[in-house]
Amino acid sequence: QKEVEQNSGPLSVPEGAIASLNCTYSDRGSQSFFWYRQYSGKSPELIMFIYSNGDKEDGRFTAQLNKASQYVSLLIRDSQPSDSATYLCAVNTRGLSFGAGTTVTVRA
Amino acid sequence: ETGVTQTPRHLVMGMTNKKSLKCEQHLGHNAMYWYKQSAKKPLELMFVYNFKEQTENNSVPSRFSPECPNSSHLFLHLHTLQPEDSALYLCASSQSGDANTQYFGPGTRLTVL
């Protein structure tokens, strides 16, 4: 079983819509969770981190964590063409374990 | 320079060459990491250093040799690589501790001929 799994995508959404990204993890002892965005040819950049169950909002982004279900998600509201990128879910277990990423395309 | 820098940004080498990748962080962090990103694969953690001491080696072949002379600098020495080692090599840094956010450098795009 992979440590971190993401919905495979690609995900195409119209401009202004909500993009929903999902991630599950296998290590029940994991305590910190991160969403990174990676544009093609660039390095990952941090969007959000979440440590506690529930929702965490930052601008147009909302991260949701459910440790009992070992599930973390990212919602992007009012999607913009500039949000088109690959989104990486990462779980911290002795260094970050990354999912394979979900590629999001926002259609103008 | 700010953040995490890596040099060179691009490197082409033959299988018999020896080269080194350099990473420097200007964030006052005390943990540094090497990751490998191959096409169509998740980012793979290679090495972790905390306060200059290696705390994680994720079963990386010995043709990759890390060096961390101080908390701000990290090197990855390469020798007798294989074409399948061609990838983007990313350095990251953080404050020590699993919960802390890691910040990535721009990466070195390595091609092994």
Side-chain angles (χ1 to χ4, degrees):
Chain A
Q1 182 187 2
K2 294 179 184 175
E3 289 189 47
V4 181
E5 295 207 47
Q6 296 184 239
N7 46 334
S8 57
L11 180 65
S12 179
V13 299
E15 186 174 358
I18 295 175
S20 178
L21 307 171
N22 303 316
C23 174
T24 57
Y25 59 94
S26 60
D27 186 347
R28 188 169 286 278
S30 299
Q31 295 295 322
S32 52
F33 309 87
F34 304 83
W35 283 100
Y36 284 83
R37 176 175 62 198
Q38 188 173 24
Y39 291 112
S40 180
K42 302 292 186 181
S43 62
E45 56 180 334
L46 180 73
I47 298 175
M48 293 189 69
F49 60 86
I50 185 167
Y51 303 148
S52 303
N53 279 327
D55 295 359
K56 180 180 179 182
E57 187 174 317
D58 184 359
R60 296 185 294 109
F61 298 96
T62 299
Q64 299 172 316
L65 175 61
N66 184 325
K67 290 185 181 180
S69 300
Q70 295 175 243
Y71 172 89
V72 59
S73 67
L74 180 71
L75 298 177
I76 308 173
R77 292 184 303 282
D78 188 24
S79 295
Q80 302 296 308
S82 60
D83 295 325
S84 297
T86 297
Y87 290 80
L88 305 173
C89 172
V91 176
N92 208 328
T93 49
R94 308 182 323 273
L96 289 177
S97 294
F98 282 84
T102 300
T103 298
V104 174
T105 301
V106 180
R107 308 187 304 271
Chain B
E1 295 273 22
T2 59
V4 182
T5 58
Q6 290 186 243
T7 55
R9 297 292 307 277
H10 300 273
L11 178 62
V12 179
M13 59 187 290
M15 290 190 285
T16 57
N17 292 158
K18 289 184 180 182
K19 296 287 184 183
S20 295
L21 310 185
K22 178 183 176 182
C23 175
E24 183 173 0
Q25 60 93 3
H26 308 268
L27 300 169
H29 292 158
N30 43 45
M32 297 187 78
Y33 311 81
W34 279 117
Y35 288 88
K36 175 184 179 182
Q37 189 173 36
S38 304
K40 308 297 183 187
K41 285 187 174 182
L43 270 162
E44 300 172 59
L45 178 65
M46 300 175 72
F47 301 104
V48 180
Y49 279 82
N50 281 279
F51 297 97
K52 303 188 300 177
E53 298 297 321
Q54 188 180 125
T55 54
E56 190 76 23
N57 176 339
N58 202 17
S59 302
V60 180
S62 60
R63 58 186 184 270
F64 295 91
S65 175
E67 178 189 0
C68 189
N70 55 61
S71 293
S72 298
H73 293 86
L74 184 64
F75 295 88
L76 188 63
H77 304 298
L78 315 171
H79 64 97
T80 59
L81 294 191
Q82 304 298 311
E84 59 264 29
D85 296 322
S86 299
L88 180 67
Y89 289 85
L90 290 159
C91 173
S93 72
S94 74
Q95 291 297 344
S96 187
D98 288 345
N100 292 305
T101 301
Q102 295 180 24
Y103 295 89
F104 285 84
T108 295
R109 174 68 63 184
L110 174 66
T111 302
V112 181
L113 302 177

